[in-house]
Amino acid sequence: MSNVKFRSGETIPLEMHKARIVQKLNLPPADVRLEKMREAGFNTFLLKNRDVFLDMLTDSGTNAMSDKQFAAMMQADESYAGSETYFRLEAVLQEVFGMKYFLPAHQGRACEHIISRILVTPGTTALMNYHFTTTKAHITLMGGAVEEIIIDEGLKVKSELPFKGNMDIDKLKGEIKRLGKENICFVRIEAGTNLVGGQPVSMENIRETSRICRAEGIKLVFDASLLADNLYFIKTREKEFANVDIVEITREIGRLMDVIYFSARKLGSSRGGGILTSDDGMFSRMRELVPLYEGFMTYGGMSTRDMEATAVGLMETMDMDVISQTPIFVAALARELQAKGVPVVTPYGGLGCHIDAREFCEHITQEEYPAGALAAALYIASGVRGMERGTLSEQRNPDGSERLAEMELVRLAIPRRVFTLSQIQFVADRVAWLYENRKLIGGLKFTDEPKLLRFFIGKLDSIGGWPETLMKKFTEDFGDSL
Ligand code: F0G
């Protein structure tokens, strides 16, 4: 993706790729959308994709793949042990991250499971810029605790700070002193901090965190699932790296870490996951768990076709034309929304455009899940599927009370090279309509609430008949138009 200038002086994002395989989309009428949302228990995870127009739930496994990735899939060496595919992927990972060992796993959370099993002991704490849902669940299942030490500005919806995902270095030092280094199982940096709006971490911050962890002898773990966007931001927002190759930036991160893991559903635009380390001791402990939980050491639960696609996808991630696509489209959507008064997270991050549901739906209390309600309302108004990233995505406190999220966001993920600019404009128009009619949106309540990761499969109902009123207003305003 490149930002190019028109003669008028206007700058527009220009795609540096073309579509060669397409998928037909379906936009059901508003009354059907309402019915489908009810059937899905007002949980966008439970919608069927056939009823979704633009799927902005996630970029996980949904980035467009390249012709070269598909070509590579044809040479997959499907053998249980010792497959050539494994060695090809290992070589690419070693080249890109400069680390010695690669352990395959079926996706990002499987890596978190293995890392937590070897590093977390009951009563220890993992310090991190911010948690991700599955990360926290794995650490707490092992009896550990998670503590977030992101800079204060990271939790402000509106800011001008270029690296809002940064670790607060003073808090890091303070917590090491307070807890004692022997009680810290590891420190974790999450690239492209997911739950606070896809906000990046600077290299300066990564270096400083690594320096402290090395001096204290604390293991440093890097979640590289959202590294592609973060690399783009390091290159475009951190002066020192303006002329540094993406692969060189990635290798520097590799040099600073004890463990790196990733979801290949995101990084590498494929499916699968992996753990990297140069530490002999940790490697041999993790190596025992891979065949037990994932699959033999040379496939780790992945299909070899996906491993081939990951190897090529990773090399393609080293290309600014490829990794700039999501951040540039996120900015295009967020800018249009801001122009219409819609509150969005700033600065614009990676992964997707994040709407501030707390301000959008200020009449809905956090206990009635404003971000969940907004995601449901948006589907009714547009067929666009976003994802709640707020209180619903939290787990209740041990005493059963709600843990209110620090941010109430609706994420409109922009998978790489999937949507067109006119589709982005459609989303902006429908969100703006919803904003004008925001008072029609009401709250939600659980009817079926699982204990663990409830946002994935829990079902809810609307508090009152607001979805019907919203659908009627939509039909009045748009007539026959979908
Ligand atoms: N870490 C981060 C930062 C993630 O964003 C994800 C997944 C994972 C770990 C887990 O990886 O899905 O392969 O098991 N995020 C997806 C999302 C689910 O939609 O944001 P996984």
Side-chain angles (χ1 to χ4, degrees):
M1 197 102 218
S2 280
N3 274 317
V4 294
K5 264 203 178 132
F6 277 7
R7 282 183 304 163
S8 62
E10 192 192 355
T11 301
I12 67 143
L14 189 67
E15 290 83 353
M16 301 306 283
H17 55 266
K18 63 180 180 179
R20 293 175 62 203
I21 295 182
V22 294
Q23 179 179 356
K24 188 178 172 347
L25 293 174
N26 176 34
L27 176 48
D31 57 334
V32 176
R33 300 198 293 260
L34 170 58
E35 190 189 312
K36 300 296 177 191
M37 196 73 254
R38 277 212 172 282
E39 277 172 26
F42 291 90
N43 180 349
T44 55
F45 275 100
L46 300 182
L47 285 167
K48 295 191 175 94
N49 205 31
R50 72 167 84 110
D51 301 319
V52 170
F53 176 47
L54 301 178
D55 191 6
M56 297 187 148
L57 185 76
T58 177
D59 63 334
S60 174
T62 59
N63 291 314
M65 286 175 44
S66 72
D67 48 358
K68 294 196 170 61
Q69 284 181 291
F70 277 107
M73 288 167 91
M74 298 305 290
Q75 55 171 356
D77 178 18
E78 197 60 79
S79 47
Y80 189 90
S83 123
E84 264 312 295
T85 295
Y86 172 82
F87 297 109
R88 270 195 283 274
L89 177 56
E90 181 189 44
V92 167
L93 284 162
Q94 284 168 339
E95 184 187 338
V96 170
F97 288 99
M99 291 177 113
K100 204 159 139 193
Y101 302 116
F102 160 52
L103 297 124
H106 77 272
Q107 61 184 93
R109 68 201 69 183
C111 305
E112 291 168 342
H113 174 214
I114 290 171
I115 294 165
S116 299
R117 279 208 171 254
I118 68 147
L119 291 182
V120 182
T121 48
T124 57
T125 300
L127 300 175
M128 55 190 71
N129 51 346
Y130 211 73
H131 79 278
F132 183 68
T133 51
T134 54
T135 326
K136 190 173 182 173
H138 279 296
I139 293 167
T140 48
L141 273 175
M142 289 303 297
V146 164
E147 207 175 303
E148 283 144 347
I149 47 172
I150 194 167
I151 52 169
D152 292 344
E153 194 91 359
L155 299 178
K156 290 202 182 117
V157 171
K158 293 192 177 100
S159 163
E160 286 180 5
L161 219 63
F163 292 100
K164 264 183 14 179
N166 277 355
M167 195 85 89
D168 186 319
I169 297 296
D170 289 336
K171 281 189 207 161
L172 174 64
K173 288 181 190 158
E175 285 307 287
I176 295 173
K177 211 176 256 165
R178 190 179 69 83
L179 294 164
K181 61 184 173 192
E182 62 287 357
N183 296 315
I184 296 169
C185 46
F186 59 88
V187 171
R188 169 179 173 273
I189 299 178
E190 181 179 309
T193 328
N194 191 325
L195 297 188
V196 301
Q199 296 296 318
V201 183
S202 71
M203 183 66 90
E204 188 193 3
N205 193 255
I206 296 172
R207 282 176 182 154
E208 190 56 14
T209 305
S210 172
R211 198 187 56 73
I212 294 166
C213 289
R214 293 234 156 120
E216 299 282 354
I218 300 170
K219 298 284 184 219
L220 182 56
V221 175
F222 189 77
D223 180 345
S225 303
L226 295 174
L227 179 62
D229 294 335
N230 206 126
L231 287 168
Y232 168 85
F233 289 122
I234 287 177
K235 195 162 162 75
T236 55
R237 293 183 185 173
E238 216 168 343
K239 265 202 194 85
E240 180 189 340
F241 296 96
N243 298 314
V244 179
D245 271 1
I246 293 291
V247 69
E248 196 32 60
I249 302 175
T250 312
R251 275 190 207 138
E252 169 149 10
I253 295 173
R255 286 193 289 274
L256 297 168
M257 297 298 147
D258 296 303
V259 178
I260 293 182
Y261 73 93
F262 61 94
S263 167
R265 302 178 63 81
K266 291 175 177 263
L267 183 71
S269 297
S270 172
R271 277 129 215 110
I275 305 172
L276 302 157
T277 186
S278 296
D279 183 308
D280 296 324
M282 272 198 287
F283 170 70
S284 55
R285 289 178 66 204
M286 289 192 282
R287 188 175 54 176
E288 292 174 3
L289 301 180
V290 171
L292 180 61
Y293 291 111
E294 299 301 305
F296 190 68
M297 268 300 287
T298 51
Y299 73 93
M302 286 186 273
S303 102
T304 50
R305 289 185 196 86
D306 289 341
M307 292 166 77
E308 292 283 0
T310 301
V312 174
L314 271 164
M315 287 315 290
E316 291 179 345
T317 300
M318 301 294 115
D319 178 351
M320 277 297 269
D321 274 347
V322 174
I323 61 174
S324 58
Q325 211 264 335
T326 291
I328 289 179
F329 261 27
V330 169
L333 176 54
R335 212 175 288 120
E336 285 239 14
L337 289 179
Q338 267 198 312
K340 289 172 180 135
V342 178
V344 296
V345 172
T346 60
Y348 312 141
L351 175 58
C353 174
H354 291 77
I355 301 174
D356 178 15
R358 204 194 305 240
E359 189 184 327
F360 198 114
C361 297
E362 59 185 359
H363 55 290
I364 303 175
T365 65
Q366 278 189 281
E367 285 83 358
E368 295 184 354
Y369 313 124
L374 177 55
L378 180 62
Y379 172 74
I380 295 167
S382 65
V384 172
R385 164 157 73 167
M387 186 193 285
E388 193 271 1
R389 295 275 76 160
T391 297
L392 249 171
S393 296
E394 291 284 341
Q395 231 155 274
R396 282 184 189 269
N397 293 314
D399 67 0
S401 60
E402 279 287 0
R403 180 193 291 268
L404 302 179
E406 283 159 313
M407 288 178 134
E408 292 286 348
L409 305 178
V410 170
R411 172 177 97 182
L412 300 177
I414 304 194
R416 216 169 290 136
R417 301 189 288 190
V418 170
F419 299 124
T420 63
L421 208 49
S422 51
Q423 288 170 333
I424 296 292
Q425 285 163 347
F426 169 84
V427 178
D429 182 74
R430 292 303 194 255
V431 174
W433 176 85
L434 202 54
Y435 188 61
E436 283 164 20
N437 293 282
R438 59 191 178 276
K439 289 282 150 44
L440 297 181
I441 307 171
L444 299 174
K445 57 174 187 275
F446 266 106
T447 54
D448 172 15
E449 183 179 349
K451 279 209 169 59
L452 209 58
L453 300 175
R454 61 185 183 173
F455 60 93
F456 277 136
I457 48 171
K459 285 199 156 190
L460 302 101
D461 197 1
S462 59
I463 299 173
W466 64 263
E468 282 70 19
T469 316
L470 184 76
M471 190 273 286
K472 275 193 203 115
K473 179 73 166 66
F474 179 89
T475 315
E476 274 166 37
D477 288 2
F478 288 94
D480 284 346
S481 171
L482 296 168

